[in-house]
Amino acid sequence: MMRFQGFCCAIVLMLISTMAQAEQAGWAIFNKVQHAVKEYNFDTSFVVLKGSQVDTYRWLHGKSEQQEIEHLIPLDTNGVDILRRNELVYYLLSDRPAFVVSGHSIAELPAILFESDTKLKQLYNAVPGSSSVMSGRSAQLLRLTAKQPGRYHYWLWLDDETGFPLRIDTLSEQQAPLERWLVTHMQITPEFPENLQALLVADLPQPAAAEIKSMPNAKQQLTWLPDAYHIITQPASIPQLESNLQSYWLLTDGLHQVSVFVQPSQGLPTQAYRDGATTIFVQSSPVLEVTVIGPVSIDIARQLAAGVK
């Protein structure tokens, strides 16, 4: 019996060691992906698939010793250009003044590519998968599986040669596909992209020294938060809703953001639906209407709405 127990303990320790090695290998692969999107010069195109909806973009990135610049062009929307130069992101609009925000990445790109692995390791396990051929290139699969229930999973395929992401699938807790990010063209070069040279020195507007406008005091309390989320203490104001907004909270886990609004009832039925990976949940009562919007499961959105007291 003692020998059998010792044998079982050895097997368990071996499995733990193997899992730890696989996890370490998974994060090494993920670091390769992040290095590619932050350090390489590239010109690529990709599509975002949400059910029957398809959005197409061109994405250029350049890195020199002192400057980093990237240009995101929505090909299905006229009059919009998005540019990041170092820590400033510019939304250049043809019919309105430019909108400038601070940020180390463009919000319209997959956030999973830019968040530090220190934060992501708190939320996900990294599991290497098999190799396959994608768009004529050898690709390595990496699964980021959520540690907490109600959180989405991510499957990433990266180019074996460069580490550049070729495809990212967002999956529900039940492994159902919600959204797909797919590269359709990729060109990585040692030279700084010629199309970005002029933008590197272009005269761009500075962020406006806008007066910080605090949200009105909440008339309700939010009594429940999902694991790893906290409330942002000074969220941006929402002028479109200020006239009838009773309470508003903006939550983040460092990677995703979820909004919770409370307004007087408009007589809508309680309902839930998804736009790709984004859940919209509306809980109605005769007096109040609670709306939750963000990349969380419908069950988490329902619990957030129920937590408004």
Side-chain angles (χ1 to χ4, degrees):
M1 177 65 81
M2 293 290 292
R3 289 183 179 179
F4 179 74
Q5 290 177 342
F7 176 76
C8 289
C9 288
I11 293 295
V12 170
L13 290 174
M14 186 181 300
L15 290 173
I16 292 174
S17 176
T18 301
M19 292 172 61
Q21 290 174 8
E23 181 84 1
Q24 186 176 7
W27 287 114
I29 293 171
F30 182 77
N31 290 336
K32 189 177 178 182
V33 179
Q34 289 203 323
H35 177 83
V37 298
K38 293 177 181 177
E39 300 297 330
Y40 290 169
N41 299 313
F42 58 80
D43 183 349
T44 186
S45 299
F46 65 86
V47 295
V48 179
L49 308 173
K50 303 178 183 180
S52 61
Q53 179 182 339
V54 181
D55 296 320
T56 310
Y57 298 84
R58 184 181 179 190
W59 178 23
L60 299 94
H61 180 271
K63 184 73 178 289
S64 65
E65 292 183 2
Q66 297 180 334
Q67 295 247 48
E68 182 185 9
I69 185 170
E70 59 186 343
H71 190 192
L72 183 65
I73 308 166
L75 299 180
D76 302 314
T77 306
N78 293 325
V80 179
D81 269 320
I82 308 170
L83 179 70
R84 180 178 67 86
R85 203 161 64 180
N86 297 324
E87 299 299 318
L88 290 178
V89 180
Y90 305 83
Y91 291 83
L92 307 173
L93 311 173
S94 60
D95 56 346
R96 285 174 286 169
F99 179 57
V100 189
V101 297
S102 297
H104 67 282
S105 64
I106 294 174
E108 286 71 18
L109 294 170
I112 201 82
L113 296 176
F114 304 99
E115 186 59 51
S116 71
D117 63 354
T118 301
K119 179 63 180 179
L120 291 174
K121 286 176 181 178
Q122 300 173 17
L123 306 175
Y124 298 95
N125 294 311
V127 183
S130 59
S131 296
S132 60
V133 176
M134 188 164 297
S135 301
R137 306 181 72 95
S138 178
Q140 167 72 51
L141 171 62
L142 175 65
R143 299 184 183 95
L144 295 184
T145 59
K147 293 183 177 181
Q148 293 97 9
R151 186 180 296 279
Y152 295 155
H153 310 290
Y154 295 93
W155 286 19
L156 298 86
W157 285 262
L158 60 143
D159 179 41
D160 270 338
E161 181 181 351
T162 64
F164 198 85
L166 300 175
R167 170 177 158 185
I168 303 172
D169 283 6
T170 305
L171 299 103
S172 71
E173 189 178 5
Q174 294 75 31
Q175 304 291 333
L178 300 174
E179 192 169 307
R180 175 169 297 168
W181 183 93
L182 182 66
V183 166
T184 56
H185 163 79
M186 180 182 70
Q187 182 179 11
I188 297 176
T189 63
E191 299 83 17
F192 198 91
E194 184 177 346
N195 292 345
L196 294 179
Q197 289 287 357
L199 292 173
L200 197 61
V201 296
D203 186 18
L204 296 173
Q206 293 299 308
E211 177 186 355
I212 297 177
K213 192 172 184 181
S214 60
M215 294 295 296
N217 293 329
K219 296 182 180 180
Q220 290 80 25
Q221 290 184 329
L222 185 59
T223 62
W224 181 85
L225 297 177
D227 288 340
Y229 277 86
H230 65 273
I231 296 175
I232 295 177
T233 54
Q234 282 192 327
S237 61
I238 309 172
Q240 301 92 325
L241 300 177
E242 283 180 359
S243 60
N244 61 354
L245 192 64
Q246 293 198 5
S247 300
Y248 168 58
W249 301 273
L250 182 62
L251 320 178
T252 184
D253 62 356
L255 178 64
H256 309 104
Q257 289 191 345
V258 181
S259 297
V260 183
F261 309 90
V262 182
Q263 300 170 270
S265 178
Q266 301 179 49
L268 297 175
T270 294
Q271 54 190 309
Y273 56 98
R274 279 189 169 130
D275 178 21
T278 301
T279 292
I280 299 100
F281 179 79
V282 180
Q283 177 181 280
S284 293
S285 72
V287 179
L288 295 177
E289 183 177 286
V290 181
T291 303
V292 180
I293 302 175
V296 293
S297 68
I298 292 175
D299 184 57
I300 291 292
R302 185 180 291 110
Q303 291 182 69
L304 276 167
V308 174
K309 305 296 184 181

